[in-house]
């Protein structure tokens, strides 16, 4: 079950941000957020589209789809 996100978008996020994908934080609306530019590794996308990341600085805050942003490191 998804909350506020279309099934096709959720599928796209889960295919794009697979476990092990390296990302860079662009922006996060959270006082506990790692600094922009912090890199991390995706460990899963949940059913509401949040991208869960183990950040290299030790944080594990999720990137909230539509509020925060991150970029895939190619």
């Amino acid at each position: 079950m998804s909350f506020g996100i279309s099934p096709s978008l959720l599928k796209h996020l889960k295919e794009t941000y697979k476990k092990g994908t390296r990302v860079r934080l662009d922006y996060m609306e959270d006082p506990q957020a790692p600094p922009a530019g912090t890199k991390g590794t995706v460990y899963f996308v949940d059913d509401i589209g949040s991208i869960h990341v183990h950040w290299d600085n030790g944080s594990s805050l999720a990137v909230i789809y539509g509020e925060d942003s991150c970029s895939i490191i190619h």
Side-chain angles (χ1 to χ4, degrees), residues 16-65:
T16 302
Y17 295 96
K18 292 182 181 180
K19 183 176 183 175
T21 300
R22 293 286 292 164
V23 295
R24 178 183 306 104
L25 182 63
D26 298 323
Y27 174 81
M28 186 179 282
E29 180 66 39
D30 189 308
Q32 301 294 321
T38 302
K39 296 175 183 175
T41 305
V42 173
Y43 60 102
F44 76 100
V45 175
D46 66 22
D47 289 339
I48 60 170
S50 297
I51 304 164
H52 293 262
V53 179
H54 288 299
W55 298 105
D56 292 354
N57 71 350
S59 176
S60 59
L61 288 176
V63 176
I64 307 301
Y65 181 79

